Amino acid sequence: MSKVFVKMAILLLAFWLNLPEKTHGQNQVKKAEMAGYLLVPNERVPKTYNAGFSMYVTAWPLLDRYPGRRFQTGLFGTWMFAQYETKPKVKVYSDIEGGLGWWRDTRFATETPKFIMGGVARNFSAWANGPGAGKGRDWKKPQGKYAVAQLSPSILWPPDGLNLKQGTSGELFGYGYLPLPLFDSKTETAGTKVPTGNQCWTLFINSKNFKGPIAFFTPFFWSRVALQDESVAGMFLDSMPSNPNRALQMETQYVPAAEAQDSNGNIFARVAPTHFPVDENGNSVVVHQVSSYNRDALWNRVEKWFQGGDSVPGVIPIDSVYFHKFPGRGGATWRIYQQSTPKEKKVRLNWSAFAKPFAPDPNSFGYRWDEDLVSRSESANRDLVMLPEYYRLDQNSERPIWKAIPAENVPDETGLAKVKFEKFERPPTDPYVTPENEDSFWKRPGPAAGPFYAYPGDGSKLTYYWYRFADQPAMLNADLSQEQREKVQLRVEMIHRNWNRNQQFLPPPKLGELADIDPALIVSPPNGLEVGFVPIVTRQENNPNK
């Protein structure tokens, strides 16, 4: 080794040893994340309430800065599965999940959550998030992208998800799924002896500026998997009732965090500022009025209407609703860990130290907060509580656990105080584009009017057209003959003449204020297209004026 090299090495070592202490700590900071579930027990209900559900969930900006496309979390939501008398002997995972949140494939995300429908075909072979939105982006493999038919003539559904009004923070968003008998049952599907049921599971919304049905899953979405495996025919939501006893949770897959160690070997973590809404008493009510329905809610009455009976006003009779009760308990599996940590070594945070689950009334669920460990902040003129930012890994207990600590108890040498969770600056974003070739389902027979444009608050531009209901691409891919589609068309026209977006359908909430859908998504049909026509978004791209 040359003398010159040794001298340089000594100088570099001396330089490093004399660096400020904070630089040592900064070099130790490692990327981490927080993820897990918040669990909300609710009572079991009679299995006869097997014709769908609804609920009110609080919508708010979980993080004060949208951190980028790795961020994925739902707000509080549920999973609606088929109801079976006996457990199937084969794997038939299939449900309606989705809800409010943020997802890694969201292209136009902001701090305000969006809503997706989240229908899952058998074992995730396909999924559908709304009209024109499903698994992947390749229209040559439309795995669920044709699965949802637009029903409402009054609202646009962007492929990136249904937008709430920007700045929504603490308001309630009501939604649920009830089956409508829009289709008839079939004994054959796609030319085979596979049956398809007649249940069109329809999304109903209750917001301040829109109420009623928006879109539905076509029965073929559920039954088509039986074309490859006839043994599972009749086992999905096209024909099966819904299980009223559903899990209720908040699923979080990634919130940014950081970890560092001090010179004594103590490990600390910092999590991106994470918020919950609070009321005037400092409590958070996050779920309200979870309801399950029997067949008299809509199905039986609408079926008689379609057969020539009296029209149905849409409002759901209260005696066909079962309101779930909350015992006021709850759990949490949120963990903080470095990205390469094996599952068995991911350590839970001590959620119960600062968040106490409670039921302010029998039909609501929320949290009380330890004011010594959380802090108050304000966003969009709504009160929010910020969860603890800093944690220390306690390895002295029976199981290691992250304990919340004040910022002043974190050694400066860790460098965690200097960590910045920056807001994501959206780069030029590829548009969602539907097929444009002239022989596609989008062009033949094609739209009746358009193009039209809308500019929601997420910074995107929507291009949409008005299609005759039966001629929209989802209906052309629903395994229906021309005669069958025309029959559905007539039923939809009955709905358009009798139902509108200002009627009350779902039971209204007993507390709180309703959220708004992004006003840019509320539309009116052109003259002459008021009945039997629906708006379909064909493109979503960057708003050139933003």
Side-chain angles (χ1 to χ4, degrees), residues 36 41 88 104 123 142-143 167 186 322 343 345 425 435 437 451 492 505 512:
R104 293 191 179 105
N123 301 333
Q143 297 166 294
K186 302 192 302 180
Y322 196 107
K343 182 178 180 180
K345 294 186 177 181
E425 296 297 330
N437 49 306
V492 169
F505 291 83

Side-chain angles (χ1 to χ4, degrees), residues 65-139:
R65 299 182 186 91
Y66 175 68
R69 290 172 176 159
R70 192 152 188 262
F71 176 46
Q72 178 158 315
T73 180
L75 295 179
F76 287 88
T78 192
W79 292 255
M80 189 185 81
F81 295 95
Q83 183 185 66
Y84 302 105
E85 290 297 326
T86 58
K87 184 178 179 180
K89 296 180 180 180
V90 295
K91 292 182 179 180
V92 289
Y93 186 102
S94 177
D95 71 336
I96 298 174
E97 39 191 83
L100 289 172
W102 300 261
W103 298 270
R104 293 191 179 105
D105 61 353
T106 305
R107 297 188 186 181
F108 302 96
T110 68
E111 288 79 13
T112 300
K114 296 188 179 187
F115 181 90
I116 62 172
M117 291 176 69
V120 176
R122 184 190 184 189
N123 301 333
F124 291 93
S125 57
W127 58 74
N129 291 335
K135 185 176 181 179
R137 302 293 181 230
D138 184 1
W139 281 96

Side-chain angles (χ1 to χ4, degrees), residues 462-504:
L462 306 178
T463 301
Y464 67 99
Y465 292 81
W466 287 88
Y467 285 76
R468 185 170 176 268
F469 171 84
D471 295 338
Q472 65 177 293
M475 287 295 291
L476 297 175
N477 283 270
D479 189 43
L480 298 175
S481 66
Q482 176 71 31
E483 181 182 358
Q484 290 167 334
R485 285 193 294 114
E486 292 304 320
K487 192 171 185 179
V488 182
Q489 175 73 26
L490 293 175
R491 292 171 176 172
V492 169
E493 290 177 5
M494 293 168 67
I495 287 176
H496 285 184
R497 288 190 181 96
N498 289 273
W499 293 356
N500 64 68
R501 68 178 179 88
N502 297 313
Q503 292 176 236
Q504 189 70 49

Side-chain angles (χ1 to χ4, degrees), residues 504-517:
Q504 189 70 49
F505 291 83
L506 303 178
K510 296 179 181 178
L511 54 79
E513 181 182 343
L514 288 175
D516 277 301
I517 302 294

Side-chain angles (χ1 to χ4, degrees), residues 178-193:
L178 289 91
L180 292 178
L182 298 169
F183 287 30
D184 290 334
S185 298
K186 302 192 302 180
T187 57
E188 291 190 0
T189 301
T192 71
K193 294 293 184 181

Side-chain angles (χ1 to χ4, degrees), residues 44 127 280 382 486:
R44 295 185 66 82
W127 58 74
E280 63 275 8
R382 287 285 183 171
E486 292 304 320

